Amino acid sequence: MIFQIVSLLLDIACGLFTAACLLRLYMQMQRISFANPVGQLVFALTDWLVIPLRKLVPSAGRWDLSCLIGAFLGQLAQYLILSLFVGAGAAFAFAPLMAVFGVARAAVSGMMGLVIINAILSWVQSRSPITTVLERLCEPVLRPIRRVVPLLGGIDFSPLVALVVLQVLMIVLQHLQASVLSIAAA
């Protein structure tokens, strides 16, 4: 029971930090201004690690590698703490691999969350600055789907298709992680 509680709390804390680092990276790649509530939150959650990492790790084009490494370190911390809690010394060797899969899962689930929130806000004619940010973040995922899936009765089904594709990607990631770990453990 205590392990489940610790695991949940670590998943929330490290998952939130990982998601913030990935969102910062994605917002920079999409050239979205951070002068909005979402950007301010992302800065507040990630500046303490990303700014020092920038001194050590240079950017690679539009990729701010310090954000990506910050996301990885957040997941790595989670798996290392859980390994310590369980007392499984062999689990330390697999923690970096688990962290890579954790970052990938966080990216996919984060995009799912963005698509869901964007779809809901599109129904209510919100004039919030967050709406514009969400539309710009979701557009690279929804645009290719909109080319293939036409409006049906004036309703855009591209968010639904995107969610199905992202869910399938999440299942593939989970099975890939399980198979890699079973091979590594053997």
Side-chain angles (χ1 to χ4, degrees):
M1 178 176 82
I2 293 175
F3 176 76
Q4 290 174 325
I5 294 170
V6 169
S7 180
L8 172 70
L9 295 175
L10 278 173
D11 197 34
I12 290 169
C14 295
L16 179 63
F17 178 73
T18 299
C21 285
L22 291 174
L23 185 58
R24 183 177 183 148
L25 171 70
Y26 190 50
M27 287 177 73
Q28 289 173 350
M29 289 176 65
Q30 295 299 320
R31 293 193 170 110
I32 295 174
S33 171
F34 284 90
N36 59 61
V38 176
Q40 300 298 319
L41 176 65
V42 167
F43 275 163
L45 291 174
T46 61
D47 269 354
W48 65 273
L49 182 62
V50 170
I51 290 175
L53 280 175
R54 278 196 182 139
K55 295 175 184 172
L56 302 172
V57 181
S59 294
R62 290 175 53 189
W63 287 80
D64 184 1
L65 296 179
S66 58
C67 294
L68 193 57
I69 290 172
F72 174 78
L73 290 175
Q75 289 296 301
L76 184 63
Q78 176 181 355
Y79 291 115
L80 288 176
I81 292 169
L82 287 176
S83 298
L84 283 172
F85 193 82
V86 173
F92 281 118
F94 300 116
L97 184 61
M98 294 292 292
V100 169
F101 281 108
V103 169
R105 282 194 323 271
V108 173
S109 63
M111 184 54 73
M112 289 172 67
L114 290 173
V115 169
I116 290 169
I117 294 168
N118 185 46
I120 291 170
L121 288 177
S122 73
W123 298 335
V124 292
Q125 298 294 329
S126 173
R127 298 202 191 284
S128 170
I130 294 174
T131 304
T132 307
V133 171
L134 286 172
E135 287 172 356
R136 289 193 54 202
L137 289 172
C138 292
E139 189 60 26
V141 172
L142 298 178
R143 186 181 321 116
I145 297 170
R146 287 183 178 136
R147 289 186 205 140
V148 177
V149 178
L151 292 176
L152 298 172
I155 297 176
D156 182 13
F157 283 97
S158 61
L160 179 63
V161 174
L163 288 172
V164 170
V165 170
L166 289 168
Q167 190 64 42
V168 168
L169 183 58
M170 186 69 85
I171 292 169
V172 169
L173 275 171
Q174 289 171 343
H175 283 282
L176 183 61
Q177 178 183 2
S179 64
V180 167
L181 286 176
S182 69
I183 291 169

PDB file of all heavy atoms in Angstrom, residues 26 30 135-149 156 158-159 162:
ATOM      1  N   TYR A  26       8.268  22.021 -26.852  1.00  0.00           N
ATOM      2  CA  TYR A  26       7.321  22.062 -27.977  1.00  0.00           C
ATOM      3  C   TYR A  26       6.884  23.495 -28.277  1.00  0.00           C
ATOM      4  O   TYR A  26       6.764  23.879 -29.440  1.00  0.00           O
ATOM      5  CB  TYR A  26       6.127  21.165 -27.655  1.00  0.00           C
ATOM      6  CG  TYR A  26       5.197  20.941 -28.812  1.00  0.00           C
ATOM      7  CD1 TYR A  26       5.657  20.540 -30.045  1.00  0.00           C
ATOM      8  CD2 TYR A  26       3.826  21.122 -28.664  1.00  0.00           C
ATOM      9  CE1 TYR A  26       4.809  20.332 -31.108  1.00  0.00           C
ATOM     10  CE2 TYR A  26       2.957  20.917 -29.713  1.00  0.00           C
ATOM     11  CZ  TYR A  26       3.458  20.518 -30.937  1.00  0.00           C
ATOM     12  OH  TYR A  26       2.606  20.318 -31.985  1.00  0.00           O
ATOM     13  N   GLN A  30       7.469  25.471 -31.827  1.00  0.00           N
ATOM     14  CA  GLN A  30       6.365  26.067 -32.563  1.00  0.00           C
ATOM     15  C   GLN A  30       6.417  27.595 -32.547  1.00  0.00           C
ATOM     16  O   GLN A  30       5.540  28.246 -33.088  1.00  0.00           O
ATOM     17  CB  GLN A  30       5.021  25.586 -31.988  1.00  0.00           C
ATOM     18  CG  GLN A  30       4.778  24.112 -32.144  1.00  0.00           C
ATOM     19  CD  GLN A  30       4.743  23.699 -33.595  1.00  0.00           C
ATOM     20  OE1 GLN A  30       4.205  24.391 -34.438  1.00  0.00           O
ATOM     21  NE2 GLN A  30       5.351  22.563 -33.886  1.00  0.00           N
ATOM     22  N   GLU A 135      -4.605  25.939 -29.884  1.00  0.00           N
ATOM     23  CA  GLU A 135      -4.818  25.729 -31.316  1.00  0.00           C
ATOM     24  C   GLU A 135      -3.482  25.607 -32.050  1.00  0.00           C
ATOM     25  O   GLU A 135      -3.322  24.743 -32.904  1.00  0.00           O
ATOM     26  CB  GLU A 135      -5.640  26.872 -31.909  1.00  0.00           C
ATOM     27  CG  GLU A 135      -7.095  26.841 -31.514  1.00  0.00           C
ATOM     28  CD  GLU A 135      -7.864  28.085 -31.937  1.00  0.00           C
ATOM     29  OE1 GLU A 135      -7.242  29.031 -32.492  1.00  0.00           O
ATOM     30  OE2 GLU A 135      -9.079  28.115 -31.710  1.00  0.00           O
ATOM     31  N   ARG A 136      -2.541  26.463 -31.706  1.00  0.00           N
ATOM     32  CA  ARG A 136      -1.233  26.409 -32.366  1.00  0.00           C
ATOM     33  C   ARG A 136      -0.459  25.158 -31.991  1.00  0.00           C
ATOM     34  O   ARG A 136       0.302  24.625 -32.799  1.00  0.00           O
ATOM     35  CB  ARG A 136      -0.425  27.655 -32.031  1.00  0.00           C
ATOM     36  CG  ARG A 136      -1.001  28.880 -32.732  1.00  0.00           C
ATOM     37  CD  ARG A 136      -0.127  30.072 -32.708  1.00  0.00           C
ATOM     38  NE  ARG A 136       1.215  29.820 -33.218  1.00  0.00           N
ATOM     39  CZ  ARG A 136       2.253  30.581 -32.915  1.00  0.00           C
ATOM     40  NH1 ARG A 136       2.121  31.617 -32.115  1.00  0.00           N
ATOM     41  NH2 ARG A 136       3.442  30.314 -33.412  1.00  0.00           N
ATOM     42  N   LEU A 137      -0.633  24.669 -30.759  1.00  0.00           N
ATOM     43  CA  LEU A 137       0.052  23.445 -30.344  1.00  0.00           C
ATOM     44  C   LEU A 137      -0.556  22.205 -30.999  1.00  0.00           C
ATOM     45  O   LEU A 137       0.167  21.252 -31.310  1.00  0.00           O
ATOM     46  CB  LEU A 137       0.011  23.304 -28.822  1.00  0.00           C
ATOM     47  CG  LEU A 137       0.878  24.278 -28.024  1.00  0.00           C
ATOM     48  CD1 LEU A 137       0.582  24.147 -26.539  1.00  0.00           C
ATOM     49  CD2 LEU A 137       2.351  24.051 -28.302  1.00  0.00           C
ATOM     50  N   CYS A 138      -1.847  22.205 -31.216  1.00  0.00           N
ATOM     51  CA  CYS A 138      -2.517  21.035 -31.783  1.00  0.00           C
ATOM     52  C   CYS A 138      -2.486  21.009 -33.313  1.00  0.00           C
ATOM     53  O   CYS A 138      -2.634  19.944 -33.918  1.00  0.00           O
ATOM     54  CB  CYS A 138      -3.971  20.981 -31.312  1.00  0.00           C
ATOM     55  SG  CYS A 138      -4.127  20.640 -29.555  1.00  0.00           S
ATOM     56  N   GLU A 139      -2.292  22.154 -33.927  1.00  0.00           N
ATOM     57  CA  GLU A 139      -2.360  22.242 -35.390  1.00  0.00           C
ATOM     58  C   GLU A 139      -1.404  21.292 -36.110  1.00  0.00           C
ATOM     59  O   GLU A 139      -1.813  20.660 -37.088  1.00  0.00           O
ATOM     60  CB  GLU A 139      -2.131  23.694 -35.838  1.00  0.00           C
ATOM     61  CG  GLU A 139      -2.386  23.919 -37.294  1.00  0.00           C
ATOM     62  CD  GLU A 139      -3.811  23.606 -37.723  1.00  0.00           C
ATOM     63  OE1 GLU A 139      -4.739  23.684 -36.895  1.00  0.00           O
ATOM     64  OE2 GLU A 139      -3.996  23.266 -38.908  1.00  0.00           O
ATOM     65  N   PRO A 140      -0.141  21.124 -35.695  1.00  0.00           N
ATOM     66  CA  PRO A 140       0.735  20.184 -36.411  1.00  0.00           C
ATOM     67  C   PRO A 140       0.242  18.743 -36.394  1.00  0.00           C
ATOM     68  O   PRO A 140       0.546  17.971 -37.297  1.00  0.00           O
ATOM     69  CB  PRO A 140       2.077  20.303 -35.685  1.00  0.00           C
ATOM     70  CG  PRO A 140       2.044  21.637 -35.037  1.00  0.00           C
ATOM     71  CD  PRO A 140       0.597  21.884 -34.682  1.00  0.00           C
ATOM     72  N   VAL A 141      -0.518  18.373 -35.381  1.00  0.00           N
ATOM     73  CA  VAL A 141      -1.054  17.012 -35.304  1.00  0.00           C
ATOM     74  C   VAL A 141      -2.358  16.905 -36.084  1.00  0.00           C
ATOM     75  O   VAL A 141      -2.610  15.906 -36.777  1.00  0.00           O
ATOM     76  CB  VAL A 141      -1.282  16.608 -33.827  1.00  0.00           C
ATOM     77  CG1 VAL A 141      -2.004  15.285 -33.715  1.00  0.00           C
ATOM     78  CG2 VAL A 141       0.047  16.552 -33.096  1.00  0.00           C
ATOM     79  N   LEU A 142      -3.191  17.932 -36.005  1.00  0.00           N
ATOM     80  CA  LEU A 142      -4.514  17.868 -36.625  1.00  0.00           C
ATOM     81  C   LEU A 142      -4.495  18.184 -38.129  1.00  0.00           C
ATOM     82  O   LEU A 142      -5.335  17.675 -38.870  1.00  0.00           O
ATOM     83  CB  LEU A 142      -5.476  18.818 -35.909  1.00  0.00           C
ATOM     84  CG  LEU A 142      -5.731  18.505 -34.435  1.00  0.00           C
ATOM     85  CD1 LEU A 142      -6.650  19.550 -33.825  1.00  0.00           C
ATOM     86  CD2 LEU A 142      -6.297  17.115 -34.257  1.00  0.00           C
ATOM     87  N   ARG A 143      -3.573  19.016 -38.576  1.00  0.00           N
ATOM     88  CA  ARG A 143      -3.545  19.432 -39.985  1.00  0.00           C
ATOM     89  C   ARG A 143      -3.463  18.253 -40.953  1.00  0.00           C
ATOM     90  O   ARG A 143      -4.257  18.188 -41.907  1.00  0.00           O
ATOM     91  CB  ARG A 143      -2.398  20.399 -40.242  1.00  0.00           C
ATOM     92  CG  ARG A 143      -2.401  20.990 -41.642  1.00  0.00           C
ATOM     93  CD  ARG A 143      -1.245  21.941 -41.927  1.00  0.00           C
ATOM     94  NE  ARG A 143      -0.891  22.793 -40.818  1.00  0.00           N
ATOM     95  CZ  ARG A 143       0.284  22.762 -40.178  1.00  0.00           C
ATOM     96  NH1 ARG A 143       1.227  21.918 -40.556  1.00  0.00           N
ATOM     97  NH2 ARG A 143       0.540  23.579 -39.178  1.00  0.00           N
ATOM     98  N   PRO A 144      -2.544  17.280 -40.761  1.00  0.00           N
ATOM     99  CA  PRO A 144      -2.502  16.153 -41.708  1.00  0.00           C
ATOM    100  C   PRO A 144      -3.781  15.317 -41.696  1.00  0.00           C
ATOM    101  O   PRO A 144      -4.196  14.791 -42.730  1.00  0.00           O
ATOM    102  CB  PRO A 144      -1.313  15.320 -41.246  1.00  0.00           C
ATOM    103  CG  PRO A 144      -0.580  16.128 -40.259  1.00  0.00           C
ATOM    104  CD  PRO A 144      -1.474  17.213 -39.782  1.00  0.00           C
ATOM    105  N   ILE A 145      -4.395  15.221 -40.541  1.00  0.00           N
ATOM    106  CA  ILE A 145      -5.639  14.440 -40.445  1.00  0.00           C
ATOM    107  C   ILE A 145      -6.772  15.175 -41.150  1.00  0.00           C
ATOM    108  O   ILE A 145      -7.597  14.555 -41.828  1.00  0.00           O
ATOM    109  CB  ILE A 145      -5.983  14.163 -38.961  1.00  0.00           C
ATOM    110  CG1 ILE A 145      -4.882  13.299 -38.330  1.00  0.00           C
ATOM    111  CG2 ILE A 145      -7.336  13.480 -38.827  1.00  0.00           C
ATOM    112  CD1 ILE A 145      -4.975  13.169 -36.838  1.00  0.00           C
ATOM    113  N   ARG A 146      -6.807  16.494 -41.027  1.00  0.00           N
ATOM    114  CA  ARG A 146      -7.851  17.286 -41.693  1.00  0.00           C
ATOM    115  C   ARG A 146      -7.767  17.186 -43.203  1.00  0.00           C
ATOM    116  O   ARG A 146      -8.774  17.345 -43.892  1.00  0.00           O
ATOM    117  CB  ARG A 146      -7.761  18.744 -41.253  1.00  0.00           C
ATOM    118  CG  ARG A 146      -8.245  18.954 -39.850  1.00  0.00           C
ATOM    119  CD  ARG A 146      -8.210  20.412 -39.457  1.00  0.00           C
ATOM    120  NE  ARG A 146      -8.729  20.567 -38.117  1.00  0.00           N
ATOM    121  CZ  ARG A 146      -8.183  21.333 -37.183  1.00  0.00           C
ATOM    122  NH1 ARG A 146      -7.107  22.062 -37.466  1.00  0.00           N
ATOM    123  NH2 ARG A 146      -8.713  21.399 -35.984  1.00  0.00           N
ATOM    124  N   ARG A 147      -6.581  16.924 -43.742  1.00  0.00           N
ATOM    125  CA  ARG A 147      -6.438  16.740 -45.186  1.00  0.00           C
ATOM    126  C   ARG A 147      -7.120  15.463 -45.651  1.00  0.00           C
ATOM    127  O   ARG A 147      -7.567  15.376 -46.787  1.00  0.00           O
ATOM    128  CB  ARG A 147      -4.969  16.694 -45.575  1.00  0.00           C
ATOM    129  CG  ARG A 147      -4.283  18.014 -45.476  1.00  0.00           C
ATOM    130  CD  ARG A 147      -2.862  17.912 -46.010  1.00  0.00           C
ATOM    131  NE  ARG A 147      -2.062  18.948 -45.394  1.00  0.00           N
ATOM    132  CZ  ARG A 147      -0.821  18.811 -44.980  1.00  0.00           C
ATOM    133  NH1 ARG A 147      -0.200  17.664 -45.142  1.00  0.00           N
ATOM    134  NH2 ARG A 147      -0.180  19.812 -44.424  1.00  0.00           N
ATOM    135  N   VAL A 148      -7.177  14.469 -44.775  1.00  0.00           N
ATOM    136  CA  VAL A 148      -7.733  13.163 -45.131  1.00  0.00           C
ATOM    137  C   VAL A 148      -9.190  13.034 -44.699  1.00  0.00           C
ATOM    138  O   VAL A 148     -10.021  12.494 -45.429  1.00  0.00           O
ATOM    139  CB  VAL A 148      -6.891  12.028 -44.493  1.00  0.00           C
ATOM    140  CG1 VAL A 148      -7.479  10.674 -44.792  1.00  0.00           C
ATOM    141  CG2 VAL A 148      -5.442  12.116 -44.956  1.00  0.00           C
ATOM    142  N   VAL A 149      -9.512  13.521 -43.506  1.00  0.00           N
ATOM    143  CA  VAL A 149     -10.867  13.385 -42.953  1.00  0.00           C
ATOM    144  C   VAL A 149     -11.615  14.705 -43.168  1.00  0.00           C
ATOM    145  O   VAL A 149     -11.291  15.712 -42.535  1.00  0.00           O
ATOM    146  CB  VAL A 149     -10.808  13.044 -41.441  1.00  0.00           C
ATOM    147  CG1 VAL A 149     -12.213  12.945 -40.863  1.00  0.00           C
ATOM    148  CG2 VAL A 149     -10.037  11.758 -41.211  1.00  0.00           C
ATOM    149  N   ASP A 156     -15.848  18.772 -37.184  1.00  0.00           N
ATOM    150  CA  ASP A 156     -14.462  18.368 -37.409  1.00  0.00           C
ATOM    151  C   ASP A 156     -14.161  17.140 -36.557  1.00  0.00           C
ATOM    152  O   ASP A 156     -14.132  17.211 -35.331  1.00  0.00           O
ATOM    153  CB  ASP A 156     -13.535  19.528 -37.038  1.00  0.00           C
ATOM    154  CG  ASP A 156     -12.072  19.224 -37.284  1.00  0.00           C
ATOM    155  OD1 ASP A 156     -11.770  18.223 -37.957  1.00  0.00           O
ATOM    156  OD2 ASP A 156     -11.232  20.012 -36.813  1.00  0.00           O
ATOM    157  N   SER A 158     -11.321  15.473 -36.798  1.00  0.00           N
ATOM    158  CA  SER A 158      -9.875  15.259 -36.722  1.00  0.00           C
ATOM    159  C   SER A 158      -9.369  15.080 -35.286  1.00  0.00           C
ATOM    160  O   SER A 158      -8.467  14.267 -35.067  1.00  0.00           O
ATOM    161  CB  SER A 158      -9.120  16.377 -37.439  1.00  0.00           C
ATOM    162  OG  SER A 158      -9.371  17.622 -36.856  1.00  0.00           O
ATOM    163  N   PRO A 159      -9.922  15.784 -34.268  1.00  0.00           N
ATOM    164  CA  PRO A 159      -9.450  15.495 -32.905  1.00  0.00           C
ATOM    165  C   PRO A 159      -9.739  14.058 -32.465  1.00  0.00           C
ATOM    166  O   PRO A 159      -8.908  13.427 -31.806  1.00  0.00           O
ATOM    167  CB  PRO A 159     -10.219  16.494 -32.038  1.00  0.00           C
ATOM    168  CG  PRO A 159     -10.560  17.610 -32.952  1.00  0.00           C
ATOM    169  CD  PRO A 159     -10.796  16.960 -34.285  1.00  0.00           C
ATOM    170  N   ALA A 162      -7.235  11.874 -34.200  1.00  0.00           N
ATOM    171  CA  ALA A 162      -5.931  12.070 -33.565  1.00  0.00           C
ATOM    172  C   ALA A 162      -5.846  11.327 -32.242  1.00  0.00           C
ATOM    173  O   ALA A 162      -4.816  10.708 -31.930  1.00  0.00           O
ATOM    174  CB  ALA A 162      -5.672  13.564 -33.353  1.00  0.00           C
TER     175      ALA A 162
END
